[in-house]
Amino acid sequence: NLAAVVAQQTQLAGVRTPDFQLLVYPVTDLGAESRSYELFAEGFYLTRPLMRWFAANYLGDRNAPEAMDPRASPLRAASLAGLPPAFVMTAGYDPLRDEGKAYADRLTAAGAKTIHREFDSLTHGFVGLRGTIHSAARAMDDMVAGLRHELAQLGR
């Protein structure tokens, strides 16, 4: 969330934007609950009640008007044009899956070079499971390869 917001806000302010966005199962819309919130409401590490708790603590009130503000919900920005390249990772069993994919789709539609990888067999938090679950290790390897490629492009 913060990385996506920083990229948007620096672009709007006319200052140098980050060169790359690495968005790992990002929160992109605190103002709505997508279908994946319903599908994975319980039993998959990150739950709907826990996300509601996070949103309420982040905003003061989960139903606050600020939830619609792109500075809290970057998916709600009027335009994503001019944003830096992005690598967006989502997990198949995650309440945040659909909004992460929606953000990647909007970035692509706005012309930002975007790679979206959905790791359909994993849950939110898989980054911390690299040493335990083989598919989490492969996902992390994919993320590192994408980051390495983009950083190499910066030096050219």
Side-chain angles (χ1 to χ4, degrees):
N1 176 278
L2 293 175
V5 170
V6 165
Q8 287 182 15
Q9 293 301 302
T10 54
Q11 192 263 346
L12 287 171
V15 298
R16 183 172 181 219
T17 63
D19 291 318
F20 184 69
Q21 301 176 79
L22 180 61
L23 307 175
V24 181
Y25 26 78
V27 176
T28 62
D29 192 353
L30 290 171
E33 293 182 355
S34 64
R35 174 84 170 118
S36 57
Y37 267 78
E38 296 171 34
L39 294 172
F40 311 113
E42 295 288 339
F44 293 100
Y45 183 66
L46 180 65
T47 64
R48 178 192 286 181
L50 189 55
M51 271 309 299
R52 288 177 175 172
W53 183 86
F54 288 138
N57 281 278
Y58 188 59
L59 301 171
D61 173 6
R62 163 178 120 65
N63 297 311
E66 291 83 8
M68 305 304 184
D69 189 309
R71 292 171 294 178
S73 298
L75 183 59
R76 294 180 177 267
S79 173
L80 302 183
L83 292 178
F87 188 99
V88 182
M89 295 174 63
T90 55
Y93 296 97
D94 185 353
L96 302 176
R97 180 193 68 194
D98 294 349
E99 65 190 77
K101 181 181 181 331
Y103 194 70
D105 290 347
R106 282 212 48 218
L107 284 168
T108 299
K113 178 183 171 188
T114 305
I115 297 169
H116 171 240
R117 295 278 190 270
E118 181 177 313
F119 298 95
D120 56 357
S121 67
L122 296 172
T123 64
H124 186 93
F126 68 78
V127 167
L129 301 173
R130 186 181 200 291
T132 309
I133 299 174
H134 184 66
S135 56
R138 284 196 325 258
M140 290 300 298
D141 291 346
D142 195 23
M143 179 186 76
V144 169
L147 181 58
R148 182 177 289 134
H149 174 77
E150 290 303 320
L151 291 176
Q153 299 303 309
L154 297 175
R156 292 183 182 181

